[in-house]
Amino acid sequence: MPKRADIVVVGAGAAGLFAGLWAARRSRELARPRRILILDGARTLGAKILVAGGGRCNVTHCAVSERDFNGSTPGAIRSVLRRFTVEDTTRFFAQRTVQLKREPTGKLFPTTDRARDVLDAILDATREAGAVIRNPCRVEQVARADTGFLVHAVENHKPAEFLAKRLILATGGKALPKSGSDGQGYDFARALDHSVSRTFPALVPLILEKDHPLRALSGLSFEAALEVRAASSKRLAPTRGSVLCTHFGLSGPAILDISRHLTAARHQDPGAHLVLSSLPDLTRDQLDHTLRNLGPTPIARVLKEDLLPERLASTLLDLAHIPHHTTGATLTKDQRRALLNTLLELTVPVTSDRGYTHAEVTAGGVPLKELTLRTMESRCTPALHLCGEICDADGRIGGFNFQWAWASGYIAGTAAAEAIAEHAIASPRGPNTANPARSTKNPP
Ligand SMILES: Cc1cc2nc3c(=O)[nH]c(=O)nc-3n(C[C@H](O)[C@H](O)[C@H](O)COP(=O)(O)OP(=O)(O)OC[C@H]3O[C@@H](n4cnc5c(N)ncnc54)[C@H](O)[C@@H]3O)c2cc1C
């Protein structure tokens, strides 16, 4: 016999835990405690919360808006984000005695710098609210049933079945597959009549051609402006920030941020490429003027002493084929042009990215247009909700992806609880009965 539950959440990551937690809290507010199960295949819960932000967990960002995301339309993303804001996140954690501090970049971390405190706060709040977490409990299949959904799982190596009135899919994407997020949730979404837009790794380091000189600078980081350009040289996506050279290619916040734009552009246009300026504060005219007026000064000295890290300056001079003893006076017009191009518009030959194993998030997923955003309920399958990274919304680096998980999880959980309460009250009197359970209360 399947175990019965009012709500089954598949996935106990950031979004699933929040969904289960808020479903339980809302049920209690409605004075109708419900049986809420959160199932997760992983033996260790919250792996991504624990590794996030280098073990410090970048919980959110001081200013989050739809402009920080890609995927579904900005309007759809905005309508989810505004239902559970950064202030709501900060208040939630403060109530669980996890104070957040803001760093100069705007990222918010726990004052203790311990991701474990963030995870423990959520797990304690979830259990206190009355939701039950079962793991390792790997869901293998979900199907519609007469009274909801039948969920087939393997729990501690034994088959287990659950019958749920409402189902919340919070299985994440494919990033960091060893955490348990391997993309199986997309199959569940498809089986329940959803489409899944093309998925690919985002916030992922990039691999450069073998033997590219930048790979020899492993460990060096510098400020740069980056741009994805079409084969036609049309400018597609700009960003600016820190770039880190590694033994395989490039990483660092700016590279992670631009990686999804390069991949997306290449899906449309295989000639799309990445262009890097290592002097992001200088225009071409300004640098041209500087080079023209160097006189007897060696160019290498100016680059190394005033403008760039020494090793980077040497490498860029080599890439521009400029002998290091060249002075402003001996620099030819062609050399000047080559140097300007190398310093300000260097095409970096990206062969691929490091894949889901090294990606922080998955681009693509279930389009938000297939959901009613007020409830995160499916428009394809009634009583099904989706939240978190399984949806087609991916944020830039800085805490935005967790804020998406908190907000969409909150909406899915509270809406599922309200719908169950509504059904319990409405059904004896007929579907049009005015419903006292529907709440307009603000979170949290
Ligand atoms: C290394 C790394 C660092 C990151 N750092 C940050 C950061 O500092 N700030 C930030 O905002 N974002 C960060 N992110 C991104 C962020 O962690 C994710 O966007 C977020 O965790 C997504 O939450 P989710 O609950 O939707 O999915 P997930 O966290 O992926 O959780 C999904 C859960 O579902 C479970 N699951 C999947 N399939 C099944 C199944 N069939 N049966 C049962 N369970 C299943 C998985 O085991 C997993 O626990 C980072 C990601 C990585 C990989």
Side-chain angles (χ1 to χ4, degrees):
M1 284 291 284
K3 296 169 192 75
R4 288 174 180 273
D6 292 292
I7 300 170
V8 164
V9 184
V10 186
L17 287 170
F18 242 52
L21 152 62
W22 285 102
R25 283 189 174 183
R26 189 76 191 111
S27 302
R28 288 194 168 197
E29 272 176 6
L30 295 168
R32 289 174 173 271
R34 299 289 169 187
R35 186 155 168 69
I36 295 159
L37 300 181
I38 311 173
L39 314 179
D40 200 295
R43 194 161 287 281
T44 310
L45 289 175
K48 283 195 194 169
I49 294 175
L50 290 176
V51 298
R56 298 197 301 136
C57 193
N58 176 196
V59 174
T60 186
H61 192 277
C62 67
V64 177
S65 90
E66 65 280 7
R67 289 186 298 282
D68 301 304
F69 290 82
N70 296 286
S72 299
T73 62
I77 290 168
R78 181 172 59 240
S79 68
V80 173
L81 293 173
R82 71 177 176 209
R83 292 282 307 285
F84 194 89
T85 63
V86 175
E87 288 69 37
D88 294 325
T89 301
T90 310
R91 194 176 319 123
F92 168 83
F93 283 106
Q95 283 167 357
R96 304 303 310 183
T97 68
V98 177
Q99 306 295 335
L100 301 182
K101 63 176 173 187
R102 177 182 161 174
E103 300 212 328
T105 52
K107 295 178 182 178
L108 268 63
F109 290 87
T111 50
T112 56
D113 285 328
R114 277 168 39 107
R116 165 58 61 188
D117 296 342
V118 173
L119 178 61
D120 286 348
I122 303 170
L123 290 175
D124 290 349
T126 304
R127 290 177 176 131
E128 243 171 60
V132 174
I133 304 170
R134 297 178 74 135
N135 77 298
C137 182
R138 176 86 193 170
V139 174
E140 303 286 345
Q141 204 187 353
V142 296
R144 268 185 275 211
D146 288 346
T147 52
F149 298 89
L150 200 53
V151 176
H152 299 272
V154 175
E155 189 169 29
N156 288 313
H157 307 291
K158 293 193 194 111
E161 271 188 357
F162 303 89
L163 188 60
K165 290 182 191 152
R166 289 203 162 239
L167 184 68
I168 301 179
L169 286 184
T171 42
K174 298 189 205 173
L176 201 67
K178 69 175 181 197
S179 68
S181 313
D182 59 2
Q184 194 179 13
Y186 299 129
D187 297 336
F188 302 153
R190 284 193 197 94
L192 296 170
D193 295 336
H194 279 280
S195 66
V196 176
S197 67
R198 186 203 285 257
T199 53
F200 53 95
L203 300 185
V204 65
L206 298 175
I207 299 176
L208 292 185
E209 269 174 8
K210 199 166 170 289
D211 301 330
H212 192 278
L214 287 176
R215 287 170 65 148
L217 301 181
S218 183
L220 185 139
S221 72
F222 60 97
E223 182 78 5
L226 297 166
E227 204 166 64
V228 176
R229 291 196 190 162
S232 65
S233 289
K234 186 176 171 206
R235 293 158 189 253
L236 299 176
T239 191
R240 185 182 163 151
S242 180
V243 169
L244 171 69
C245 297
T246 70
H247 64 284
F248 56 79
L250 297 173
S251 188
I255 291 291
L256 299 185
D257 273 340
I258 205 137
S259 60
R260 65 105 56 223
H261 297 287
L262 181 64
T263 309
R266 284 183 167 177
H267 288 150
Q268 312 281 330
D269 170 6
H273 54 282
L274 184 63
V275 173
L276 179 150
S277 165
S278 45
L279 293 172
D281 292 322
L282 291 182
T283 65
R284 198 172 175 94
D285 283 349
Q286 286 169 330
L287 186 58
D288 189 49
H289 181 78
T290 305
L291 293 175
R292 279 171 190 268
N293 289 287
L294 284 182
T297 312
I299 289 166
R301 191 199 302 163
V302 177
L303 291 182
K304 289 177 185 177
E305 291 180 5
D306 300 342
L307 296 174
L308 291 169
E310 192 175 335
R311 289 163 68 212
L312 179 62
S314 286
T315 299
L316 293 173
L317 280 169
D318 292 343
L319 278 167
H321 305 292
I322 311 284
H324 287 212
H325 55 77
T326 311
T327 65
T330 59
L331 188 72
T332 66
K333 192 175 164 192
D334 284 348
Q335 284 177 321
R336 198 174 64 244
R337 191 179 307 123
L339 188 56
L340 285 169
N341 287 344
T342 306
L343 293 172
L344 300 181
E345 294 186 276
L346 179 70
T347 296
V348 279
V350 176
T351 54
S352 57
D353 62 51
R354 294 202 88 204
Y356 287 114
T357 314
H358 297 275
E360 289 199 5
V361 72
T362 307
V366 175
L368 291 182
K369 65 175 188 241
E370 295 181 6
L371 307 178
T372 300
L373 299 173
R374 195 174 40 78
T375 55
M376 296 305 279
E377 185 169 356
S378 164
R379 292 178 189 273
C380 309
T381 298
L384 169 69
H385 303 253
L386 294 97
C387 57
E389 201 176 307
I390 191 175
C391 301
D392 184 5
D394 56 292
R396 66 184 178 90
I397 207 126
F400 301 97
N401 288 299
F402 276 138
Q403 187 60 35
W404 173 258
W406 313 136
S408 57
Y410 165 81
I411 298 173
T414 49
E418 286 170 5
I420 286 194
E422 183 171 345
H423 188 259
I425 292 165
S427 37
R429 303 190 216 157
N432 294 328
T433 311
N435 174 21
R438 180 64 76 192
S439 164
T440 54
K441 189 172 173 291
N442 286 331

